[in-house]
Amino acid sequence: MDWGGAGAGLNNHYRTTYKDDQKSMMEVALISNMDPVNIGLGCSDKPAPVTSLKPRKKTMTSVYLKFFETAADGKTRRCKFCGQSYSIATATGNLGRHLANRHPGYDKSGEAVSNAAARPVTVVKKSQPHGKANQVDYDHLNWLLIRWLVLASLPPSTLEEKWLVNSYKFLNPSIQLWPSDKYRTVLDEVFRSMREDVRALLEQVSSKVSITLDFWTSFEQIYYMSVTCQWIDENWCFQKLLLDICRIPYPCGGAEIYRSLIKVLKFYNIENRILSCTHDNSTSAMHACHTLKEDLDGQKIGPFCYIPCAARTLNAIIDDGLRSAKQVISKIREFAIELNASPVISEDFIQLSTAYQEGIWKFPLDVSARWSGNYQMLDLVRKAGKSVDAVIRKYEEVLGSRMLLGSSDKSAVSIMHQYLEPFYKTTNNICTSKVPMVGLVLFFVDHISETITSFRESRLSPEWLKNAAEEMAKKARNYINQVCNIFTYMTAILDPRIKGDLIPDSLNSENFLDEARTHFIRNYSASHFSSMSSGYNAQEIEDGGSVSFAEEIARKKRRTSMSSATDELTQYLSEAPAPIPTDVLEWWKVNSTRYPRLSVMARDFLAVQATSVVPEELFCGKGDEIDKQRICMSHDSTQAILCIKSWIQVGIKFKFKSTEIDYERLMELAAAAAATDNSPSSSDKKQR
């Protein structure tokens, strides 16, 4: 997905012309009292023409001028050491300060200067008042630091760290970092500029959209909600876009969540196009979604549903299953941490596991408390039990005998590993799915329910496992009851891999099929396509009155359209499901010509999400890092930094006051400066 294609051409144009016409470059005013700075910007708007003024030539009387050469056009002077350019009108005192700050000992380098090869101009800079000749370099650095803060999800206060500031001063005493307040002001303005681009992008979406909600609490005990929008575009590509990070005020209940959510939907003007909301299973979120549904139903905007997150439900089910083995897993994790920490011990483990033919293990092992880490602990003992025992005995003085597992522990590990293997395969498949469609996720949850039931009813299962399975079954039934509705049914049958053949029994209802057919005919045949079949709208015909010959023809065509639309659904459902590995969106892209009306419905409903978060955040160690970033962010920068980071990652251009910040150009300048500093002549000067 590339939403920034238009900006690339402008950037290329900028790179080819910035040397020839320095007046055409735009300045960025960071805040009202911030100096205008040329930072190598690309802009979607053409800069206003600036009348060129004839530069005032300075006579070659200053001692500093021998270290600068005048350009052929007579407009700029260029430093012979580093290639830095200054307007011809720049006072020679500024040139002296440049030499003193950037090239100490320049007065002893006369011969080197006279023999220095001409370097390309790396920065073109407008005339500035005295004492600001080097400001452009510092602003380049500060903009690069802004980018670093965003991508690393760090608060602006990070740059106030004493040792970080001193490290920069060690490299160059003249470096001037902005104060943290200035970074916050810039980030807020960038957030506002980019948010307008997000709103403009959503205005171009022609289909229904679905949203997901996620919640977390920061170290400041502030409750946050992220609102993410999903849809399928005309090219059958799945699109996902973070809309906002909202602070939920006390008491953080359903009413507060609803007010924050409706504010976001109205800002982006999508409250009339929203089809579904997937929440995090919390009671407060459920109440907020229920209020939103009542609001939308009251306005007769259209159908709307809300469903719980399948990934969080699976995570809760798995936690119940692992609870009885928690003590054993903790013991194994402690051993794995020691393996990761010691190259010597881990190497012995690898050799032993190879000798015992107990598999090939890659380090570091996943020791996170997430589901993947917990399963890895069981997997380690289940598959490499002899190697684990041998290493613990060999390094007993370091590891201690407390890590040895008894026969009852190993038996529990074996039973639990066998029981949870289907869960591991299910979560792994959900994590690796390109788009975890509702139909496929319901298919997996149904399989998990059957697995729980079989273990619970088996005479071979120990009592402690049956008790765990009972709690797991309750959560599975509760999820199925919440998610069982006409909307999820329609989403499931529109998945060509599922249709009616693989749909769970809880959803397989004749009533649902009739409702789906009625919904399809009402919303995706007559009303949706009536304007295509005749010049009269449905309301005019329903109101009665004189019926012209043309209207009679239109009615016949409209009935024909409805009949063919019904046949589309019947024909689609009569065909065998596609293979499970099939790319659903690619299938519909190919078959949309066969089912022109049904494909419109599919674009709307297949965007309904089964999970409110990316499954990897719950089932993999990747989620640990995300949680760490979220909890450590301070309130004054959470919204701006997390939103900007997400928008950059999906291709939206980094902008300040509607002007694109050309970071590619800034990196080129940084690389050129580094190359200059590391050049042989520069090294010789440093030694002197």
Side-chain angles (χ1 to χ4, degrees):
M1 177 175 58
D2 183 9
W3 291 322
L10 291 172
N11 290 341
N12 292 334
H13 170 75
Y14 165 77
R15 296 189 188 101
T16 60
T17 61
Y18 83 103
K19 294 181 181 178
D20 300 326
D21 189 5
Q22 63 180 22
K23 294 294 183 179
S24 67
M25 299 174 64
M26 301 189 68
E27 296 183 9
V28 175
L30 299 182
I31 51 178
S32 58
N33 60 348
M34 195 180 299
D35 301 322
V37 181
N38 188 318
I39 57 172
L41 302 180
C43 178
S44 57
D45 300 321
K46 292 183 179 179
V50 180
T51 304
S52 298
L53 299 177
K54 187 176 182 179
R56 178 174 61 90
K57 293 184 178 180
K58 295 186 71 68
T59 57
M60 300 287 285
T61 57
S62 172
V63 67
Y64 305 124
L65 293 179
K66 69 179 181 180
F67 300 99
F68 291 80
E69 57 185 5
T70 304
D73 59 3
K75 294 181 180 180
T76 58
R77 290 197 180 99
R78 185 169 57 196
C79 175
K80 295 180 180 179
F81 292 113
C82 64
Q84 174 75 46
S85 293
Y86 293 93
S87 167
I88 199 77
T90 301
T92 54
N94 289 337
L95 303 182
R97 278 187 284 275
H98 170 83
L99 294 169
N101 293 333
R102 297 289 296 273
H103 313 292
Y106 65 91
D107 52 331
K108 300 178 182 179
S109 306
E111 295 180 3
V113 170
S114 61
N115 296 327
R119 293 184 173 86
V121 179
T122 56
V123 179
V124 180
K125 185 170 176 290
K126 293 187 177 183
S127 303
Q128 293 185 352
H130 292 200
K132 297 180 181 177
N134 291 328
Q135 185 68 32
V136 64
D137 296 330
Y138 307 141
D139 285 330
H140 284 185
L141 171 63
N142 282 297
W143 278 104
L144 291 172
L145 289 175
I146 284 277
R147 182 84 167 195
W148 171 61
L149 289 177
V150 168
L151 296 181
S153 300
L154 295 172
S157 58
T158 303
L159 299 177
E160 293 181 332
E161 170 58 44
K162 175 182 176 182
W163 288 102
L164 179 64
V165 175
N166 287 344
S167 298
Y168 280 113
K169 292 294 184 182
F170 174 78
L171 294 173
N172 187 342
S174 301
I175 283 177
Q176 299 172 7
L177 299 184
W178 296 337
S180 59
D181 288 346
K182 196 169 187 178
Y183 285 112
R184 292 188 187 96
T185 303
V186 172
L187 284 168
D188 288 342
E189 183 57 46
V190 170
F191 167 73
R192 286 189 289 269
S193 294
M194 296 182 71
R195 185 168 59 167
E196 289 300 323
D197 285 353
V198 173
R199 179 158 62 176
L201 188 153
L202 287 172
E203 289 176 355
Q204 306 302 315
V205 177
S206 59
S207 63
K208 293 276 190 178
V209 300
S210 294
I211 61 170
T212 56
L213 308 180
D214 190 25
F215 300 85
W216 74 92
T217 303
S218 72
F219 75 99
E220 297 172 319
Q221 293 302 295
I222 294 176
Y223 194 50
Y224 287 103
M225 173 181 70
S226 67
V227 184
T228 306
C229 180
Q230 296 88 10
W231 72 96
I232 297 170
D233 66 19
E234 291 85 350
N235 294 319
W236 289 95
C237 294
F238 180 78
Q239 306 291 356
K240 180 178 180 180
L241 193 57
L242 176 67
L243 300 184
D244 211 342
I245 302 290
C246 310
R247 174 182 179 177
I248 307 300
Y250 182 83
C252 310
E256 291 75 27
I257 293 174
Y258 166 75
R259 284 192 289 269
S260 298
L261 176 58
I262 201 68
K263 184 178 179 180
V264 174
L265 299 180
K266 288 184 175 179
F267 176 84
Y268 288 105
N269 196 28
I270 60 173
E271 71 273 19
N272 295 334
R273 292 183 287 151
I274 183 172
L275 177 62
S276 74
C277 178
T278 307
H279 56 78
D280 72 336
N281 304 7
S282 66
T283 303
S284 297
M286 196 182 306
H287 288 168
C289 290
H290 182 72
T291 304
L292 178 61
K293 178 173 174 56
E294 289 182 334
D295 187 18
L296 296 177
D297 289 347
Q299 300 178 47
K300 297 183 179 180
I301 288 176
F304 171 78
C305 72
Y306 56 93
I307 60 175
C309 175
R312 291 194 181 279
T313 299
L314 278 174
N315 200 53
I317 291 173
I318 292 168
D319 281 345
D320 281 341
L322 289 170
R323 190 168 292 118
S324 57
K326 187 175 181 180
Q327 186 175 356
V328 176
I329 290 174
S330 297
K331 192 182 295 187
I332 305 169
R333 178 177 284 105
E334 189 176 352
F335 168 73
I337 290 173
E338 293 291 345
L339 283 183
N340 288 340
S342 173
V344 175
I345 299 178
S346 60
E347 184 60 33
D348 272 357
F349 176 80
I350 292 173
Q351 292 179 0
L352 286 168
S353 60
T354 302
Y356 288 129
Q357 296 183 343
E358 292 184 326
I360 299 173
W361 301 86
K362 294 182 180 180
F363 287 83
L365 299 174
D366 180 5
V367 294
S368 70
R370 304 275 168 171
W371 158 233
S372 58
N374 284 324
Y375 189 78
Q376 175 86 324
M377 299 304 99
L378 296 172
D379 207 42
L380 187 67
V381 174
R382 180 75 176 83
K383 295 179 179 177
K386 293 180 180 178
S387 303
V388 170
D389 287 347
V391 169
I392 292 175
R393 289 191 174 91
K394 181 176 181 179
Y395 295 95
E396 186 174 355
E397 292 184 2
V398 177
L399 303 178
S401 58
R402 68 187 185 282
M403 294 185 185
L404 284 171
L405 298 180
S407 57
S408 60
D409 290 336
K410 290 181 179 179
S411 175
V413 166
S414 180
I415 294 171
M416 186 61 70
H417 185 276
Q418 180 184 1
Y419 176 49
L420 293 178
E421 188 172 12
F423 292 81
Y424 178 75
K425 291 179 179 178
T426 297
T427 55
N428 188 56
N429 199 298
I430 292 176
C431 288
T432 54
S433 294
K434 185 178 179 181
V435 181
M437 300 292 183
V438 169
L440 187 63
V441 171
L442 292 178
F443 171 74
F444 280 134
V445 173
D446 189 57
H447 173 66
I448 289 297
S449 297
E450 292 175 356
T451 300
I452 294 171
T453 300
S454 63
F455 268 85
R456 187 181 57 180
E457 296 176 353
S458 173
R459 291 180 297 173
L460 301 177
S461 299
E463 198 62 32
W464 58 268
L465 183 58
K466 289 184 178 181
N467 293 335
E470 182 62 37
E471 293 299 318
M472 299 169 80
K474 288 180 182 177
K475 286 185 170 59
R477 286 195 300 270
N478 185 49
Y479 171 79
I480 291 172
N481 290 336
Q482 290 185 59
V483 82
C484 183
N485 57 57
I486 180 58
F487 296 94
T488 52
Y489 174 82
M490 288 190 288
T491 303
I493 65 171
L494 288 170
D495 186 331
R497 301 167 299 181
I498 305 300
K499 294 189 176 180
D501 299 52
L502 299 181
I503 200 167
D505 291 338
S506 56
L507 278 178
N508 201 358
S509 166
E510 283 294 329
N511 292 335
F512 278 166
L513 179 58
D514 292 339
E515 286 186 54
R517 195 181 304 278
T518 301
H519 180 85
F520 172 53
I521 294 173
R522 182 187 300 121
N523 296 284
Y524 295 94
S525 57
S527 62
H528 193 82
F529 290 89
S530 60
S531 60
M532 298 171 57
S533 60
S534 72
Y536 299 89
N537 60 45
Q539 187 62 44
E540 289 175 333
I541 296 177
E542 290 174 2
D543 288 343
S546 59
V547 179
S548 66
F549 178 67
E551 287 173 350
E552 290 180 358
I553 297 175
R555 286 185 175 185
K556 292 178 181 179
K557 285 186 175 294
R558 194 169 292 111
R559 282 196 295 270
T560 302
S561 297
M562 292 175 65
S563 176
S564 63
T566 305
D567 290 340
E568 276 189 29
L569 180 59
T570 303
Q571 177 64 29
Y572 167 79
L573 292 176
S574 67
E575 296 175 357
I580 292 297
T582 300
D583 185 322
V584 174
L585 300 185
E586 185 63 29
W587 188 95
W588 273 107
K589 184 177 182 178
V590 171
N591 289 276
S592 58
T593 53
R594 294 177 59 207
Y595 307 112
R597 294 165 174 79
L598 195 62
S599 63
V600 177
M601 183 177 175
R603 271 186 61 201
D604 287 346
F605 279 86
L606 291 178
V608 176
Q609 293 298 286
T611 64
S612 62
V613 294
V614 179
E616 291 94 324
E617 294 183 21
L618 293 175
F619 302 134
C620 301
K622 174 184 176 183
D624 292 332
E625 187 62 30
I626 294 174
D627 285 350
K628 189 188 304 180
Q629 291 177 348
R630 284 175 168 181
I631 198 170
C632 292
M633 291 291 293
S634 56
H635 172 60
D636 57 3
S637 54
T638 296
Q639 181 189 42
I641 286 182
L642 293 183
C643 285
I644 293 170
K645 178 180 179 179
S646 178
W647 293 337
I648 289 174
Q649 290 172 340
V650 298
I652 297 177
K653 297 300 182 182
F654 192 102
K655 287 188 175 180
F656 177 85
K657 293 186 176 179
S658 301
T659 302
E660 181 186 334
I661 309 301
D662 189 355
Y663 274 103
E664 184 177 331
R665 176 61 183 153
L666 288 182
M667 292 303 296
E668 289 175 0
L669 293 173
T676 300
D677 290 340
N678 294 329
S679 63
S681 58
S682 176
S683 301
D684 293 342
K685 289 194 283 286
K686 289 179 181 179
Q687 290 176 0
R688 293 194 186 97

